[in-house]
Amino acid sequence: MALTVLANLKEEIGELSRIVGWVRVFGMVTSAPGYSDQIVVVNGFSDLIIEVFGPDIGRHARSAIGVSGLPLGFAMEIEGEVMISA
């Protein structure tokens, strides 16, 4: 999932080096009733972002929720807010 997000960002802004900060990440995880570890699933995304961009740029606020279903049968959907240079 994280690699797809990074590829989409690169396509949209040209170079990932234009990202000067990750502000927020919101993860939606398709979950069975009673499952409450959605944040553990989203941790993998956050960990990779911090590894790629370093803690100064990659650190971000994060939240995660469980949902009964997502479009196209996706297991997870991620929204991210980034700051980019001109």
Side-chain angles (χ1 to χ4, degrees):
M1 176 60 68
L3 296 178
T4 301
V5 170
L6 293 176
N8 288 336
L9 276 168
K10 186 174 192 295
E11 182 177 329
E12 197 62 37
I13 66 174
E15 292 299 325
L16 294 178
S17 61
R18 292 188 57 207
I19 297 174
V20 296
W22 280 79
V23 179
R24 183 183 73 90
V25 167
F26 174 59
M28 293 169 275
V29 180
T30 302
S31 304
Y35 182 75
S36 61
D37 286 333
Q38 290 84 5
I39 196 68
V40 175
V41 176
V42 180
N43 279 348
F45 180 89
S46 292
D47 291 346
L48 182 67
I49 295 305
I50 291 170
E51 185 176 327
V52 169
F53 291 93
D56 291 338
I57 293 173
R59 192 168 314 280
H60 53 270
R62 180 188 61 208
S63 56
I65 62 168
V67 296
S68 61
L70 289 166
L72 303 175
F74 289 153
M76 180 174 165
E77 185 172 320
I78 293 283
E79 292 179 4
E81 293 179 24
V82 298
M83 296 183 299
I84 59 172
S85 63

